[in-house]
Amino acid sequence: MGYTTEFAGKFQLDRPLFDYQALYLLDFARTRRVKRSQSILTTIPDPGRDAVGLPLGEEGGYFINDSHPQAAASVIDENRPPKGQPGLYCQWQPTSDGRGVEWNAICRLSFVLPIV
C-alpha cells in the first residue's frame, strides 16, 4: 500500500535570495544527501557551500561539490543520509524569481527543509 503527496504553491520569503543562495539550494536539491567522511571532505573545495557561509555539517550534510574527483571517496554509506537529514533527496528548491521555495515535483518526497 502506498500514497502520493503533492504540493501546490510555495513558501514566500520575506526578501529575495541572492544568486549565490539560490544556486546553493539548487545544487543541494540536485545532489544525493549521503553520509560522508568529514576528514576527506575537508580536502575538497566546495565553493557553493562556502559562498553561503555554511559548515560541512555533520557527516557532510551541507556538502554539494559531488562532481569533484575525490567526492566519491568521501562516501561512507550511499544509502543513508547524513545525521539531521530525513532522506537521501531534498525536493525543495528556490522559485525562478528567488522570492520563494517550492516543491520540485519529483516523487520521492522525504525531506523536511530546515527554514533558517
Side-chain angles (χ1 to χ4, degrees), residues 85-97:
Q85 295 185 18
L88 295 169
Y89 299 95
C90 176
Q91 293 79 31
W92 299 97
Q93 66 185 23
T95 57
S96 59
D97 65 3

Side-chain angles (χ1 to χ4, degrees), residues 4 13 23-25 57 90 92 106 113-114:
T4 299
L13 302 175
L23 290 172
Y24 174 80
L25 290 174
C90 176
W92 299 97
I106 296 174
L113 180 69

Side-chain angles (χ1 to χ4, degrees), residues 36-76:
R36 295 178 181 270
S37 165
Q38 199 98 12
S39 60
I40 294 174
L41 290 181
T42 59
T43 67
I44 300 173
D46 197 10
R49 180 184 51 79
D50 290 338
V52 295
L54 286 172
L56 279 170
E58 196 167 4
E59 298 177 343
Y62 303 126
F63 178 77
I64 59 169
N65 190 11
D66 68 341
S67 62
H68 190 278
Q70 296 297 322
S74 73
V75 176
I76 294 172

